[in-house]
Amino acid sequence: MDVPRPTGDVPQNTGQLLAIWIKRTRRGPMDATSEARLLPTAGLVGNANQGGSRQVTVIEAEVWDRLSRQAGTDLDPAIRRANLMIKGVDLRDSRGRGLRVGECTLRIRGETKPCHRMDEAHAGLREAMAPDWAGGTYGEVEDGGTIRVGDPVCWSE
């Protein structure tokens, strides 16, 4: 899958939402979409994971590109099974921070640890994703609304 790349100039300290995926059933495929609705205390409308602290998962394009180069292949980012792919915002050590995506805010609750399914997708991927929050983050929706591919992304502090 070709992930959309940023268009135009992105202001410093601001990133961009590159992709949105919705997992409609547990262990089901990740369906790409150009926009989605986020609901406070629930998460992505139509996503299998609702409520709790793991309402939305986020990965960084820069990290995914690095992992793909290390693997020696062009890995489809949908295999990470995250809901959002962003560019230009470093997610490392971001627990407790507010991540603004378009008109919405996610409260980052922690690091998404890679599971055995990553090795099913590509041998050695799980280990490669383990350090430095390379598996991305997860969080809760604080301020809901509609997000769209191309929306700005930044820390809300």
Side-chain angles (χ1 to χ4, degrees), residues 7 18 23 26 28-29 37-38 41 59-60 78 90 102 108 110 112 128 134-135 139 147 151 155:
T7 56
L18 298 182
K23 177 179 65 176
R26 187 177 182 274
R37 184 131 178 87
L38 294 172
T41 72
I59 59 173
E60 293 173 68
D90 186 353
I108 302 300
T112 306
I147 57 172
D151 277 351
W155 293 112

Side-chain angles (χ1 to χ4, degrees), residues 74-96:
D74 187 20
L75 297 172
D76 180 349
I79 68 171
R80 178 58 190 114
R81 306 191 57 73
N83 298 120
L84 309 179
M85 177 180 261
I86 64 171
K87 182 172 184 151
V89 175
D90 186 353
L91 296 173
R92 281 179 297 172
D93 300 317
S94 58
R95 182 173 289 134

Side-chain angles (χ1 to χ4, degrees), residues 34-45:
S34 61
E35 71 176 46
R37 184 131 178 87
L38 294 172
L39 297 176
T41 72
L44 274 163
V45 172

